[in-house]
Amino acid sequence: MERRRSLPDVLAGGVFVLIGGAFAAGALGYELGTPLRMGPGAFPLLVGAIVAALGLAIVVKGLVAGEMVSFGPIPWRAVAAIVLAVLFFGLTVRGLGFVPASAVTALLAALASSRVRPLTAVAVAAGLTVAGTLIFVVGLQLRIPLWGPWLGF
């Protein structure tokens, strides 16, 4: 394979630099504190700087030692299913509640692959819904209703 600049690496690294820079810039609006008593802006500043640095490393790698890789066809079914799943969750979690919204979201995401059988997708959705409920509602005690008003509970 011929070595050339890798446009995908440069673009992806640029996106990371922009996102990390935005987080770091936003964190400067909060108090940073001291190393022993960190303020609310210290962690976002650190994470933003790390993301930006990693993005810069990806850009440099793409410019210096990029490798042209031929991609196959774009899996439009998977792209559409994942986007639809995220939109569904965001638009229905308050109305349906956490359990039904999570279950449908996980089912849509599992069905994004053409290799997953429906029964396997249902099992994955059930497992992810139980895990999400235990982590977010029980463990972290987020105030999300398990069942929403649209269902009459």
Side-chain angles (χ1 to χ4, degrees):
M1 232 181 239
E2 181 182 333
R3 292 224 179 245
R4 294 188 259 174
R5 291 188 173 116
S6 174
L7 183 62
D9 282 347
V10 172
L11 292 176
V15 169
F16 279 111
V17 169
L18 287 175
I19 291 172
F23 269 89
L28 294 176
Y30 296 102
E31 181 184 340
L32 297 177
T34 65
L36 293 177
R37 292 190 60 89
M38 291 187 196
F43 186 71
L45 178 66
L46 181 64
V47 171
I50 290 172
V51 169
L54 289 174
L56 188 60
I58 293 170
V59 168
V60 168
K61 180 210 170 263
L63 290 174
V64 174
E67 196 173 289
M68 293 303 293
V69 178
S70 60
F71 292 105
I74 297 173
W76 290 112
R77 172 185 168 168
V79 170
I82 298 298
V83 168
L84 183 64
V86 172
L87 286 174
F88 177 84
F89 185 82
L91 295 173
T92 63
V93 70
R94 287 188 181 169
L96 288 177
F98 186 78
V99 171
S102 295
V104 173
T105 300
L107 185 63
L108 286 172
L111 291 175
S113 173
S114 58
R115 294 184 286 174
V116 174
R117 293 187 215 146
L119 187 58
T120 304
V122 169
V124 167
L128 287 174
T129 301
V130 169
T133 302
L134 290 174
I135 291 169
F136 294 109
V137 177
V138 176
L140 296 174
Q141 297 179 351
L142 295 180
R143 296 187 180 266
I144 303 173
L146 293 177
W147 305 97
W150 292 353
L151 299 176
F153 292 118

